[in-house]
Amino acid sequence: MIARLKTSPWALNILLLAIIMVAVLLSARFGQVDLSTADVLHGIFASGDDAYTIIVRELRLPRIILAIMAGASLGYTGAALQGLLRNPLADPGVIGVSATASLGAVIAIYMGFTSISALALPITAMLGALVATIILMVLAARDASVLTLILAGIGISSLATAAMSLVMNFTPNAITVQEMVLWMMGSLENRTFDDLFLAGPFIIAGWLMMIGVGQGLNALSLGEEAASTLGIDVAKLRWRVVLGTAFSVGATVSVCGAVGFVGLVVPHIVRAFVGYEPRRILLPSALCGAAVMVLADILTRLPIGHGQLRLGVVMAMIGAPVFLYIIFKTRESMR
């Protein structure tokens, strides 16, 4: 779908790590108060509670770490879902996982669960993500076509979006509605280590569930019967990807809102360098997703009139044209 530029996965991983390091430095430098590289290093390593230390450690560092974890989760789960569903257009957003996770979080805000427990938001978001993923898993078990899966994802997303609109319509408090709308647009602004410690364990748990699924996804690309013949427990593989996606994406949505297109676009970018073998693209997709998210978060700090760009809006502006290009190239290759 994209012109192939041959390279090894490890060479690509090293390049992506370098890009992440540069992006992290830029993210730590730029904001309402611009800092030099020396100021950033001072803020990270120096002791005390001077202004540089507070800005870097308490404001920018947790935001950067969350951006890396969120981007890695979306990139990895996008690549895993595309391999599991054998569908190059699958990702947590396109198939409805992100929308249902958002619905769960909006319900938690509406019902006031967030005032009862800080765990309410990530738990409800993960439950919403799990519902959508199970629906898609059932369809995949019946060898559904790409068109059917995409249409099902559109239906799930539309239903979740309608439900969110209904919840906001019945919300009597305008401040709560504004909180829901801004949260749905996606942002990492004002995130702290409390948010990281809350969502981080769930994100990491999702990663741990999906460790080692690459070999099974490779076998599954030959068909379920062939995978079973090779000794792969297809049902167990599905559940590992399903639960891993629900945990990591649900927790990601709970801290940064709905951010689309990362899981869809990133695996296609990676395939241009390392090919189409599912196992080869998992780790590079996670690294590429992390780099994309950190760079996109930097763009949200650009002064635009009297407002501010939101993370979900930036990713949609970047991802939507790439998504349309992928569809166009897919249609060409099927002729």
Side-chain angles (χ1 to χ4, degrees):
M1 298 177 190
I2 302 176
R4 177 78 187 277
L5 303 172
K6 292 183 179 180
T7 186
S8 70
W10 289 110
L12 180 60
N13 291 340
I14 293 172
L15 174 62
L16 290 171
L17 283 172
I19 294 174
I20 290 173
M21 292 176 63
V22 173
V24 166
L25 179 59
L26 292 175
S27 183
R29 288 187 57 186
F30 297 128
Q32 292 185 348
V33 177
D34 291 341
L35 305 177
S36 66
T37 302
D39 295 334
V40 171
L41 295 176
H42 172 82
I44 293 175
F45 297 108
S47 58
D49 56 355
D50 57 274
Y52 294 147
T53 303
I54 294 173
I55 292 173
V56 174
R57 292 185 186 175
E58 298 184 14
L59 299 179
R60 297 186 182 174
L61 191 57
R63 180 172 183 168
I64 292 169
I65 296 173
L66 280 171
I68 291 173
M69 296 183 72
S73 294
L74 294 173
Y76 193 97
T77 56
L81 284 171
Q82 289 177 15
L84 177 68
L85 301 176
R86 286 166 284 170
N87 177 0
L89 298 180
D91 91 317
V94 171
I95 66 176
V97 173
S98 295
T100 51
S102 298
L103 174 60
V106 166
I107 290 174
I109 296 173
Y110 172 76
M111 299 296 293
F113 294 154
T114 53
S115 62
I116 299 174
S117 172
L119 291 172
L121 198 62
I123 288 175
T124 53
M126 284 185 290
L127 288 175
L130 180 61
V131 169
T133 311
I134 289 176
I135 293 173
L136 268 296
M137 185 194 67
V138 171
L139 291 175
R142 300 180 179 181
D143 291 326
S145 67
V146 171
L147 179 60
T148 301
L149 293 172
I150 295 299
L151 291 176
I154 292 173
I156 293 170
S157 296
S158 298
L159 181 61
T161 301
M164 284 187 282
S165 300
L166 184 64
V167 170
M168 288 189 287
N169 182 63
F170 284 104
T171 302
N173 192 328
I175 296 177
T176 303
V177 174
Q178 183 181 18
E179 180 184 354
M180 291 177 180
V181 171
L182 291 176
W183 181 86
M184 288 167 59
M185 294 173 67
S187 177
L188 287 168
E189 185 181 11
N190 299 325
R191 299 302 186 267
T192 66
F193 277 109
D194 290 337
D195 298 291
L196 178 61
F197 294 146
L198 180 63
F202 295 106
I203 294 175
I204 293 173
W207 293 353
L208 293 176
M209 291 177 191
M210 291 188 287
I211 287 179
V213 300
Q215 183 177 356
L217 294 177
N218 276 4
L220 193 60
S221 65
L222 303 174
E224 291 187 16
E225 292 185 3
S228 298
T229 302
L230 294 172
I232 301 299
D233 187 338
V234 177
K236 182 179 179 180
L237 175 66
R238 278 204 186 97
W239 277 109
R240 288 177 64 187
V241 176
V242 165
L243 294 177
T245 297
F247 268 70
S248 57
V249 173
T252 294
V253 169
S254 72
V255 292
C256 67
V259 180
F261 293 103
V262 177
L264 171 64
V265 172
V266 162
H268 288 278
I269 295 174
V270 171
R271 287 190 188 99
F273 292 91
V274 298
Y276 295 88
E277 185 180 343
R279 182 173 57 181
R280 291 166 63 91
I281 71 170
L282 290 176
L283 180 56
S285 292
L287 296 175
C288 186
V292 167
M293 188 70 82
V294 175
L295 292 171
D297 186 47
I298 295 173
L299 294 178
T300 64
R301 304 172 204 178
L302 296 176
I304 306 294
H306 298 288
Q308 181 183 8
L309 288 172
R310 310 294 291 188
L311 184 59
V313 176
V314 171
M315 285 309 309
M317 293 174 63
I318 297 172
V322 179
F323 178 54
L324 293 174
Y325 171 76
I326 291 170
I327 292 177
F328 175 76
K329 297 300 291 184
T330 302
R331 184 177 177 184
E332 271 195 346
S333 65
M334 293 176 65
R335 289 179 179 176

